[in-house]
Amino acid sequence: MGEYEPKIEVHFPSSVLAAKGVTVRLECFALGNPVPTITWRKINGNIPKRARLRKSQAVLEIPNIQQDDSGVYECKAENPRGGTAFKGHLQVYTLPQWVRIINDTQMDSGEKLQWECKAISRPRPTYRWLRNGLPLASQGRVEIMNGELSIHKVQQTDSGMYQCVAENKYGAIYSNAELKILASAPVFFHNPVRVIATLGKDAFLECKPRASPKPRITWKRDDRRIQPNKRIILLRNNTLKIVNSSRADEGNYVCRAENQLGSAELTAVLWVKEAMRVVLSPSKVEVTVGESVVLSCKATHDTSLDVAFQWFFNQKPIIFQQDGNHFEYIQTQSSTVDLMIRSILLRHAGKYGCRAQTSADSVFTEAELLVRGPPGPPGVVIVEEITDHTATLSWTRGLDNHSPISTYNLQARSPFSLGWQTVKTDPDPVTGDMESAMAVELNPWVEYEFRVVASNAIGTGDPSAPSRRVRTKEAVPSVAPSNVSGGDGRRHELVISWEVGPLPNSCDASVKRKKMMSNMFWVSFDLQRGKINLLVKKSFTSSEAIMLSKKKSTIGQRSWIFPRYQNLNHPK
């Protein structure tokens, strides 16, 4: 049989409908000679990455199909004789899913019910409503628009089970809720009630009956209906407000609540008392760290009322069980309490408040406590300049804690010092108004850290944070060798000895020997005793530099270089 162009014999439908989440298989089988090659593509899009090709690419398999996978798919069969293609439309549908549902609701009769349910799906869902299993339609007080249900002026007959149904041609979902319409005559649970107001302040008489539907409220005094005016105002929540209350306002007030199911009355007894006065003493006090102080809070109030006190520190209630080591609550009289603050620390400085409260009013007053103490740590220490023996430092002032800073102390630390050591300064002393000074008499070629400590009349504060590490610069020896002498030795040997000056305290050199090249000499060093012996063998016309490599010390890795000796002949 000769060659012929491809022909697609079996293919997927021109319209494929699939539910979201399933696996879709699109088939495309073709005949041809030579055997055609099958390719797939999605028109105006990309084939999903999770798709797989099976059976020599004749089957396109898309697992877990999603809404974005919808579109037109094309399979194409090609061989050297030609090609052909087929296109089909893949549609992904979804069942309705709730976005918003309805919930059980309890209402007073006469109120308006507003419910909404909402779902998403493809194709879009339609909505319908059921009450007690029967279809509900827009009629009279009932309005339905898609997923919204409104019932105006609900009645007892509107009670029942409601369902919102969202559906498309592939399925339906239900949201259920119960509507309860309350119906009861007005009831007051506490009757009578006593209201205590403060003279010159506003008084509020509440009227909150339990009733359904909502009752109509009226107020009376001495059997006369109260007419609202500038001083007596009826608020929206049926509370009676009396502005700038006085003794003349004392008496019985009656609130009457009435609906179609019945009525009830509440009696409110209004008492007007003198305003309470509170004195907190001392109002401002200064103490030193470690001392103790007592703050006294005294309330002057109507003796028929009980008073309760509460202490505060910086607007927060003091919890005496947690900080009993420093705070103590002392009840001296029925209308006076004390706060004792023991062993005061810097953190105890601030505002101390006393609140006195009766059933009529509440008064809050504060006192200020200043705590004198050692200065706080200075700010960041900066090394401005470094030389072989000096370091210029600067810093910022810390808190003086209510006592002026008198002096600053500069301290240094190196890898070979015993902790922090005070260093000499220029100027000396460093007074409290300064923020810069020079540390002097440092060792050359040493890594140092610096910090600053402030002092005042109370004491010495905490040190600043350490500066960055810096190294002093190199320096030449400052003391010449002494007691140079020669002699001893065997034939062809010359022994020369001398003493070196005192080494820095940080030196920890050990005995070293260094052999130079042949026909030269040996040298031996004993730095612990401060002596150096030089043994010379044979004669030479020029000497080489002899170097001593010390152990790393506070002056760093160093070498000493000895002078050259020329035209030396060996002794006889």
Side-chain angles (χ1 to χ4, degrees):
M1 188 174 182
E3 295 183 356
Y4 60 94
E5 65 183 11
K7 180 181 180 182
I8 297 177
E9 296 291 341
V10 179
H11 57 74
F12 59 95
S14 59
S15 180
V16 178
L17 194 62
K20 179 182 177 182
V22 303
T23 297
V24 174
R25 293 178 178 83
L26 305 180
E27 298 179 343
C28 191
F29 292 95
L31 297 177
N33 190 19
V35 176
T37 300
I38 306 296
T39 57
W40 293 84
R41 73 186 182 106
K42 181 182 179 184
I43 308 299
N44 297 327
N46 297 320
I47 293 178
K49 292 182 179 180
R50 62 184 178 281
R52 300 184 292 268
L53 291 173
R54 300 187 182 279
K55 296 184 178 181
S56 300
Q57 304 189 83
V59 176
L60 176 65
E61 184 177 276
I62 308 175
N64 189 24
I65 198 79
Q66 298 297 312
Q67 198 70 47
D68 294 341
D69 300 333
S70 299
V72 177
Y73 288 79
E74 177 189 78
C75 73
K76 190 173 184 179
E78 294 179 295
N79 68 9
R81 303 291 297 176
T84 184
F86 175 80
K87 298 177 183 178
H89 188 254
L90 173 62
Q91 291 181 299
V92 179
Y93 68 85
T94 59
L95 296 174
Q97 292 180 316
W98 287 121
V99 176
R100 185 180 295 115
I101 61 174
I102 58 176
N103 298 297
D104 293 344
T105 303
Q106 188 171 278
M107 305 183 71
D108 292 331
S109 58
E111 294 183 332
K112 179 182 178 181
L113 171 69
Q114 190 81 36
W115 266 339
E116 180 185 9
C117 60
K118 186 177 182 180
I120 56 173
S121 67
R122 184 157 184 163
R124 290 181 179 179
T126 58
Y127 301 90
R128 54 191 177 93
W129 289 84
L130 305 176
R131 181 172 63 194
N132 296 328
L134 300 176
L136 190 63
S138 294
Q139 184 179 4
R141 295 178 296 106
V142 179
E143 293 181 5
I144 296 177
M145 182 174 292
N146 293 325
E148 296 184 10
L149 169 65
S150 300
I151 302 179
H152 300 271
K153 296 181 179 180
V154 294
Q155 301 174 0
Q156 194 67 37
T157 56
D158 296 320
S159 298
M161 290 297 300
Y162 287 76
Q163 291 177 302
C164 174
V165 185
E167 57 189 344
N168 61 19
K169 62 181 179 180
Y170 303 109
I173 54 176
Y174 295 77
S175 177
N176 309 316
E178 182 181 8
L179 175 62
K180 289 183 178 181
I181 306 301
L182 304 178
S184 65
V187 175
F188 291 100
F189 292 99
H190 301 284
N191 193 10
V193 295
R194 187 181 69 167
V195 179
I196 301 177
T198 302
L199 186 66
K201 295 185 178 180
D202 297 345
F204 296 88
L205 307 179
E206 293 184 343
C207 182
K208 295 182 177 180
R210 181 174 180 180
S212 183
K214 289 183 178 180
R216 184 171 60 90
I217 302 296
T218 56
W219 282 92
K220 295 186 300 181
R221 183 185 182 192
D222 298 333
D223 294 329
R224 293 183 180 181
R225 184 171 179 174
I226 296 177
Q227 299 296 331
N229 54 48
K230 291 183 178 180
R231 282 198 65 245
I232 302 178
I233 303 169
L234 183 61
L235 304 179
R236 289 187 176 182
N237 62 356
N238 298 316
T239 296
L240 193 67
K241 176 182 178 181
I242 302 175
V243 179
N244 191 21
S245 59
S246 65
R247 297 284 190 185
D249 295 318
E250 291 185 328
N252 294 343
Y253 293 77
V254 177
C255 170
R256 179 178 175 83
E258 184 176 5
N259 64 13
Q260 57 264 42
L261 300 177
S263 63
E265 290 185 345
L266 167 73
T267 300
V269 182
L270 175 63
W271 293 350
V272 180
K273 302 291 185 179
E274 290 284 345
M276 178 171 54
R277 299 187 304 277
V278 176
V279 177
L280 179 58
S281 60
S283 60
K284 186 173 183 179
V285 60
E286 291 188 18
V287 296
T288 302
V289 167
E291 295 180 347
S292 300
V293 70
V294 175
L295 302 178
S296 182
C297 184
K298 182 177 181 180
T300 303
H301 61 97
D302 191 294
T303 55
S304 65
L305 303 177
D306 293 330
V307 61
F309 295 91
Q310 187 177 15
W311 286 99
F312 294 81
F313 175 46
N314 290 335
Q315 303 294 323
K316 294 182 179 180
I318 297 175
I319 302 176
F320 291 91
Q321 296 83 352
Q322 294 182 0
D323 206 351
N325 292 333
H326 294 285
F327 296 124
E328 182 181 357
Y329 183 102
I330 302 174
Q331 181 87 46
T332 56
Q333 299 177 12
S334 60
S335 299
T336 304
V337 295
D338 291 343
L339 173 65
M340 175 173 281
I341 311 173
R342 295 192 181 92
S343 303
I344 290 175
L345 304 175
L346 286 173
R347 62 182 173 88
H348 293 140
K351 298 277 190 177
Y352 287 83
C354 173
R355 174 178 290 164
Q357 187 165 5
T358 66
S359 54
D361 62 351
S362 175
V363 178
F364 180 81
T365 184
E366 283 185 318
E368 184 177 8
L369 176 63
L370 299 178
V371 180
R372 296 186 300 268
V380 178
V381 177
I382 299 174
V383 181
E384 303 284 358
E385 184 180 359
I386 190 79
T387 69
D388 52 354
H389 292 291
T390 67
T392 302
L393 310 178
S394 67
W395 60 89
T396 55
R397 292 175 59 86
L399 298 175
D400 63 9
N401 291 322
H402 307 291
S403 179
I405 297 173
S406 55
T407 58
Y408 287 104
N409 177 257
L410 274 58
Q411 298 179 348
R413 178 175 65 179
S414 71
F416 299 90
S417 64
L418 297 177
W420 290 95
Q421 303 292 329
T422 298
V423 296
K424 293 183 179 181
T425 60
D426 182 16
D428 184 17
V430 181
T431 58
D433 58 346
M434 300 178 65
E435 295 184 16
S436 177
M438 180 184 294
V440 299
E441 298 187 15
L442 304 177
N443 287 323
W445 200 243
V446 178
E447 273 195 349
Y448 283 103
E449 292 176 284
F450 298 95
R451 70 182 187 183
V452 179
V453 182
S455 300
N456 61 14
I458 308 300
T460 299
D462 293 330
S464 68
S467 71
R468 64 180 178 87
R469 291 182 179 178
V470 294
R471 186 188 295 272
T472 51
K473 295 182 178 181
E474 299 177 71
V476 298
S478 58
V479 179
S482 61
N483 296 329
V484 179
S485 63
D488 299 329
R490 292 172 295 175
R491 183 177 177 82
H492 303 300
E493 291 182 351
L494 172 63
V495 176
I496 301 174
S497 64
W498 63 88
E499 294 181 359
V500 298
L503 297 174
N505 294 332
S506 57
C507 287
D508 185 21
S510 63
V511 174
K512 281 282 185 177
R513 287 185 180 268
K514 185 176 182 77
K515 181 176 182 181
M516 309 302 287
M517 293 182 295
S518 61
N519 198 35
M520 297 191 72
F521 47 80
W522 291 80
V523 287
S524 63
F525 304 95
D526 185 353
L527 297 182
Q528 299 291 352
R529 294 192 297 272
K531 292 184 178 181
I532 300 176
N533 295 320
L534 175 65
L535 178 61
V536 183
K537 285 189 175 183
K538 300 184 179 180
S539 63
F540 54 92
T541 58
S542 63
S543 69
E544 298 293 328
I546 305 169
M547 297 182 295
L548 168 64
S549 297
K550 292 170 37 183
K551 289 183 178 179
K552 189 173 182 180
S553 65
T554 57
I555 59 172
Q557 189 70 29
R558 296 281 301 204
S559 297
W560 275 321
I561 302 176
F562 294 92
R564 298 176 181 270
Y565 295 90
Q566 297 183 352
N567 301 323
L568 292 178
N569 294 318
H570 62 80
K572 294 181 180 180

